[in-house]
Amino acid sequence: MKGIIKEVILENFMSYKYGRITLKPGFNFITGPNGAGKSAILLGISLAMGQLSTERSRRLADLVRKGEEIGRVSLILNNSKEDGKRPFPSYNKDEIMISRYLRKDGSYWFEIDYKEASRQEVLDLLNRVGIDPNNLLIIMPQGMIDEFIIIKPEEKLKMVEEALGIAGIRQNLLEAKERLKKIVSEEAQYQDLISKAMESLERWREEYEKVLLSRQLKDRLGQLQAELAWANVLKIERSINGLREKINRVNEEISSISAKNTELQEEFNEASRKFESDLNAVKESIPKIYKGDESSLRVAYDSLNEISEVSKNMLETYSRIKVNEYKLETLSSELKDLSKELNELSSELEEAKKLAQGQRPESVRTISEIEDEIRTVNAQLKVLGEVNVEAEKIYLEFKNKLEEYKEKLEEVKKNKEKTMQEVEKRTEEWKQVISKTISEINEKYNEIMSRINASGKVVLVNENDPEAAGLRLYASFIGTDLIPIDSFSQSGGELSAAVTAFLLAVQMYVVSPFRALDEFDVHMDPIVREKFLKAIYDVAKGSNTQYLIITPNFPSFYADDINFIIVQKSQSGSLPKVVAR
């Protein structure tokens, strides 16, 4: 692979008035006396790539060359095609330039191919090829050894994961665990809500049941009132039917008496005619009797006897007629009263029917039975007393909330189960990847340490707790036992050797096409320094990675493919120069 950085341009930056440093693929070696401006090259690269921190915590304003108002650091990046593809496919050209401008007032801005861009756009661009300028395992500035020793094991592991491009595995796991934590918290919240809702529901249940009972009793009272109304209708109808039957009987009796009187009247009239006839016979016989006619006397005598009998019958018949006429008069009066009462009951029935609601029941109890139950229901309502009409609304609200919370809780439990399975799966994936990675790094680390007659070990701590997991380095020099590396147990040279060996071991697996080490060897003796430089050279030679090594010491070995750059300081500023390739 061709080197990713073709050239570094520093303009009014630190000790550089204007400098161009050409980098080659493979191994680039920058040397020169202290203060010449070697580290400024790596700092310029870091800043151009979007790194926020600066060497020795300098302010950005302090990096602008003295006497100037604005400085610039630029990188010309290789974008030529390999296997038909460009590293940065958004730019259809073989070279692109990223720049960072610094002002004396501390402000700055970025450009990509002379077009202003945000820092994030620059980071996203470099991330496409695996470069993270803020990862100390990719760009190792001055003081990296001391800084790496004091950082916590958790941060060491994080740096390794980010440098190797596997940070996303643990990040996904931690995000899943965080989701699980939130789900568990959400589950507890819903359980608490359910508990509180149930308590509230129980508090309002008695009032709610009173409301229901009151409603049932009032509904029953309404039904009884309706039944009572129909019972009253039935009572009136029965009274009307009774009146009609009575009227019919009176009418029949009137008809019967009237017919009898007609017969009696005919009998009376017939007797009256007989009376007149007999009377006439007597009258006609009297003159003849006076003349001495005996037969006329017998006729008169017989007629008088008949007249006496007829008169008696007539009187009896007349009496019967008058009695019947009295009866008819009485019955007519009664019939009139009955008809009036019938009309009144008919009107009362119409009114009663208006009060009766709903469909006419098939059977209706007696009014007394209904009134007894009405009194019972009213007594129950009185005992029940006043009810809170809002109780039903409140109770049902809590009930609905309770059902809603239960449904939500079921969803949360399902999500919890699913997320737990995800956490378990991702945990196993992370353990496998990180164990394999640390095992490989440990092997390389020990191999590099063996070149200086030392040994080492990389240990993954808190493996079962991904959030607290970290890396701890062990080293052994001159046959001593393996002990953790720290600033108290090893000398400066031993610390430099152990940390550098670890960083080299890690870099063998780093996905970034560019790596840099600045003055890693300041505490090493010449022999150890040479062994490490050769180890770095071997790593660079056997990979497609562009290396940049900065040291004040010139190497004691030479190779044709090493790009040697010497930085010297002059009155005009730092001057970089390629001396060998």
Side-chain angles (χ1 to χ4, degrees), residues 443-489:
E443 185 178 343
K444 294 295 182 183
Y445 172 57
N446 206 33
E447 179 186 325
I448 295 171
M449 288 288 282
S450 67
R451 297 190 183 193
I452 57 171
N453 298 321
S455 62
K457 187 177 183 180
V458 183
V459 176
L460 178 65
V461 296
N462 297 324
E463 180 182 0
N464 294 322
D465 185 359
E467 293 180 73
L471 285 183
R472 186 166 286 125
L473 302 184
Y474 290 80
S476 171
F477 294 91
I478 318 175
T480 60
D481 293 333
L482 283 170
I483 58 174
I485 63 169
D486 55 51
S487 55
F488 304 103
S489 303

Side-chain angles (χ1 to χ4, degrees), residues 95-112:
E95 293 181 353
I96 61 174
M97 184 168 72
I98 58 175
S99 301
R100 185 171 185 174
Y101 292 80
L102 309 174
R103 287 188 177 277
K104 203 69 176 175
D105 60 8
S107 62
Y108 64 88
W109 71 93
F110 291 89
E111 286 183 357
I112 300 177

Side-chain angles (χ1 to χ4, degrees), residues 506-563:
V506 172
Q507 285 199 344
M508 291 182 181
Y509 301 96
V510 169
V511 296
S512 172
F514 174 78
R515 302 165 202 174
L517 294 86
D518 186 5
E519 298 193 8
F520 69 93
D521 56 346
V522 290
H523 299 298
M524 295 181 183
D525 61 56
I527 296 175
V528 173
R529 179 187 301 116
E530 182 176 350
K531 287 181 178 180
F532 268 105
L533 285 175
K534 285 184 177 180
I536 297 171
Y537 171 73
D538 291 340
V539 171
K541 189 174 182 179
S543 69
N544 292 322
T545 303
Q546 184 179 44
Y547 270 85
L548 178 62
I549 307 300
I550 300 174
T551 176
N553 304 293
F554 204 84
S556 58
F557 70 96
Y558 174 81
D560 291 337
D561 55 354
I562 297 178
N563 183 34

Side-chain angles (χ1 to χ4, degrees), residues 7 68 98 105 143 148 150 152 189 205 225 289 315 334 420 438 524 571:
E7 190 172 16
E68 304 292 342
I98 58 175
D105 60 8
F148 187 83
I150 62 174
K152 296 179 180 178
Q189 288 175 0
R205 187 186 299 279
Q225 295 291 354
I289 293 172
L315 181 61
E334 183 182 357
M420 287 176 67
I438 298 306
M524 295 181 183
Q571 291 182 350

Side-chain angles (χ1 to χ4, degrees), residues 67-86:
E68 304 292 342
E69 289 300 316
I70 188 169
R72 181 181 69 141
V73 289
S74 300
L75 304 179
I76 297 177
L77 304 180
N78 177 26
N79 195 36
S80 58
K81 291 182 179 179
E82 282 193 9
D83 298 327
K85 296 181 180 180
R86 297 185 186 276

Side-chain angles (χ1 to χ4, degrees), residues 7 31 44 120 122 228 282 295 362 388 446 474 490 492 501 574:
E7 190 172 16
T31 187
Q120 191 58 50
V122 173
L228 182 62
V282 172
S295 61
E362 293 181 1
N388 187 347
N446 206 33
Y474 290 80
Q490 291 88 12
S574 298

Side-chain angles (χ1 to χ4, degrees), residues 190-323:
Y190 276 117
Q191 287 173 338
D192 183 56
L193 288 172
I194 288 172
S195 176
K196 290 179 179 177
M198 289 181 69
E199 289 176 5
S200 300
L201 202 64
E202 286 304 314
R203 284 199 303 269
W204 284 98
R205 187 186 299 279
E206 183 178 351
E207 289 296 323
Y208 171 65
E209 289 175 349
K210 285 178 65 176
V211 171
L212 291 185
L213 180 57
S214 175
R215 181 180 300 153
Q216 290 170 359
L217 291 172
K218 287 178 180 178
D219 289 344
R220 182 56 184 162
L221 194 60
Q223 294 170 0
L224 291 171
Q225 295 291 354
E227 187 181 2
L228 182 62
W230 281 112
N232 191 41
V233 168
L234 183 60
K235 177 185 175 183
I236 296 171
E237 286 177 342
R238 286 172 179 168
S239 297
I240 288 173
N241 290 335
L243 275 175
R244 284 175 177 166
E245 289 176 1
K246 195 171 184 179
I247 288 171
N248 288 336
R249 287 195 300 271
V250 170
N251 281 328
E252 289 175 359
E253 191 174 354
I254 288 173
S255 297
S256 176
I257 292 172
S258 295
K260 189 67 176 175
N261 259 11
T262 301
E263 292 177 2
L264 290 172
Q265 189 65 47
E266 289 179 356
E267 289 179 7
F268 182 82
N269 291 339
E270 182 65 27
S272 181
R273 284 192 294 273
K274 178 68 176 168
F275 179 84
E276 289 292 333
S277 175
D278 290 338
L279 184 60
N280 288 332
V282 172
K283 286 179 178 181
E284 289 176 356
S285 296
I286 289 174
K288 292 178 178 181
I289 293 172
Y290 279 119
K291 290 178 178 182
D293 186 359
E294 291 182 1
S295 61
S296 296
L297 180 62
R298 262 191 313 278
V299 170
Y301 179 78
D302 291 335
S303 296
L304 286 172
N305 286 333
E306 287 182 4
I307 287 171
S308 177
E309 185 68 27
V310 169
S311 295
K312 182 180 177 181
N313 289 337
M314 285 181 65
L315 181 61
E316 184 180 348
T317 300
Y318 181 77
S319 295
R320 289 174 65 187
I321 288 172
K322 288 301 180 181
V323 169

